[in-house]
Amino acid sequence: MPTTVQPFHAKNRHQGQYDFARLTQASPALQDFIINNQHGGTSIDFSDPLAVKTLNAAILKSDYGIIGWDIPEGQLCPPIPGRADYIHYLADLLSHSNNGKYPKKKRLDVLDIGTGASGIYPLLGVAEYAWHFVAADINQDSLNNVRQILNTNQALSERITLRLQNDPNAIFKHIVSKDDWFDLTMCNPPFHMSLAEAQAGTQRKWSNLGKLSAPDEAAPLLNFGGQGAELWCPGGELAFIERMIKESADIQGQCFWFTCLVSKSANLAPLKTALKRAQVHELREVNMAQGNKQSRFLAWTFLNPVQQAGWKKMRW
């Protein structure tokens, strides 16, 4: 499995600059946010949450055929190109685990932990690979919003099941039933340790965008939004993923690959130690890059070669 950092994945639809002419043709509402940039081209103000949300809706409609996408004010508004990369690298993970060939079976099952109000990973995963998803979240309002998106896109609703996590201290528990089998799990975890840390991170990002301060110093929001459990949890990213690793051991035979994004490179060493302590059979670090941003995810499986062969024969 390659671990060198590349630009966007070769299968990512979002190479190069946004084609605003094409996007505005598909979604005329975007025209109100188009501005001329310093290089003589067109762009949007990425510090404007409504502009970013409108851009996302245009991309989803134009590139993926998903209509009526929207999120409530203040909810996390994900940058779609980077989210698509995670999906494509997961598909590569399956191929590398299957002698370089993408599984032939029409139905592959994926669990998305913390799907958020946008439901972006299930939407992209269905659009690109026709995967079947269980989309889990602890926020009922977020799931209700995803339900509205699915009601507008019936073909997607047939492949995406929503599940509410009632226990804020649990990840897989109460979500994965004894009859579930997942080829992949995925997660973009909250990475801050506290509300104050999230606010400080927001202020740094505003400074990077050339703004003196966020419009509301009390709100941990930026152009991509986010609130509550989307941005922070006790112990931050490290504690969350360590808990995920511990719980994954309890369902180790029900999933081929567990995966999770890791925002902070400093967390990689302690997480790898936790995975060794959990006695995973195989661990992989997959590096990605989106523009100037470097990201990565960890993938682990408890299945030994005999069990993997049985899984592939039965499911792939």
Side-chain angles (χ1 to χ4, degrees):
M1 187 74 178
T3 57
T4 56
V5 174
Q6 301 291 337
F8 283 124
H9 190 284
K11 293 183 179 179
N12 195 319
R13 303 177 189 223
H14 311 290
Q15 311 290 342
Q17 302 296 316
Y18 290 118
D19 186 343
F20 286 104
R22 178 177 58 81
L23 291 172
T24 52
Q25 184 175 13
S27 185
L30 182 61
Q31 185 62 53
D32 293 340
F33 300 95
I34 299 298
I35 60 175
N36 294 319
N37 62 29
Q38 59 184 354
H39 304 293
T42 55
S43 185
I44 65 167
D45 181 358
F46 282 94
S47 68
D48 180 350
L50 185 56
V52 175
K53 185 169 74 169
T54 306
L55 172 62
N56 272 7
I59 292 172
L60 289 170
K61 181 179 180 181
S62 175
D63 295 345
Y64 299 96
I66 298 170
I67 61 175
W69 182 88
D70 195 9
I71 55 173
E73 183 178 354
Q75 295 288 332
L76 188 65
C77 189
I80 292 174
R83 300 303 194 259
D85 250 28
Y86 190 8
I87 293 291
H88 290 302
Y89 277 100
L90 287 179
D92 284 353
L93 185 65
L94 293 176
S95 296
H96 283 283
S97 304
N98 195 42
N99 300 318
K101 298 179 181 179
Y102 185 76
K104 292 182 179 180
K105 187 177 180 181
K106 293 183 178 180
R107 181 180 178 115
L108 293 174
D109 291 279
V110 183
L111 170 61
D112 179 27
I113 294 293
T115 200
S118 71
I120 194 64
Y121 287 125
L123 295 178
L124 295 177
V126 172
E128 292 286 25
Y129 294 101
W131 292 341
H132 286 252
F133 275 84
V134 168
D137 204 280
I138 65 172
N139 189 318
Q140 183 64 65
D141 290 339
S142 292
L143 293 179
N144 290 343
N145 193 75
V146 178
R147 173 54 61 197
Q148 291 182 16
I149 298 170
L150 297 181
N151 288 342
T152 311
N153 299 269
Q154 285 298 318
L156 297 175
S157 67
E158 296 173 0
R159 293 178 178 270
I160 300 174
T161 300
L162 306 180
R163 292 184 188 175
L164 176 66
Q165 173 59 271
N166 287 306
D167 184 350
N169 297 313
I171 297 177
F172 297 122
K173 187 179 180 181
H174 311 305
I175 292 297
V176 179
S177 71
K178 62 180 181 180
D179 298 323
D180 283 326
W181 300 88
F182 292 108
D183 301 284
L184 296 164
T185 72
M186 63 186 306
C187 179
N188 184 9
F191 47 87
H192 292 299
M193 299 179 66
S194 66
L195 175 59
E197 184 179 275
Q199 290 173 333
T202 290
Q203 187 57 56
R204 286 193 298 272
K205 291 179 181 179
W206 273 91
S207 297
N208 291 338
L209 286 172
K211 309 291 182 178
L212 293 179
S213 64
D216 181 355
E217 294 286 359
L221 307 177
L222 183 63
N223 51 334
F224 296 120
Q227 58 187 15
E230 292 181 312
L231 294 181
W232 68 276
C233 68
E237 175 183 79
L238 179 60
F240 185 93
I241 303 176
E242 285 179 335
R243 191 162 72 248
M244 174 179 283
I245 293 168
K246 184 177 180 180
E247 287 195 25
S248 70
D250 296 330
I251 54 169
Q252 57 183 269
Q254 292 180 253
C255 176
F256 196 108
W257 283 110
F258 297 92
T259 78
C260 188
L261 289 169
V262 182
S263 175
K264 300 178 180 180
S265 59
N267 289 336
L268 289 171
L271 288 173
K272 290 178 180 179
T273 298
L275 285 163
K276 291 179 181 178
R277 189 164 54 242
Q279 297 183 323
V280 302
H281 180 77
E282 187 175 354
L283 163 64
R284 299 188 186 187
E285 176 188 342
V286 181
N287 291 309
M288 306 178 289
Q290 295 90 36
N292 295 324
K293 179 183 178 182
Q294 181 177 336
S295 63
R296 81 286 296 165
F297 66 86
L298 290 177
W300 65 95
T301 182
F302 293 91
L303 304 183
N304 62 37
V306 173
Q307 292 169 320
Q308 290 186 27
W311 185 287
K312 288 183 280 189
K313 182 177 180 180
M314 178 179 65
R315 292 187 54 85
W316 296 355

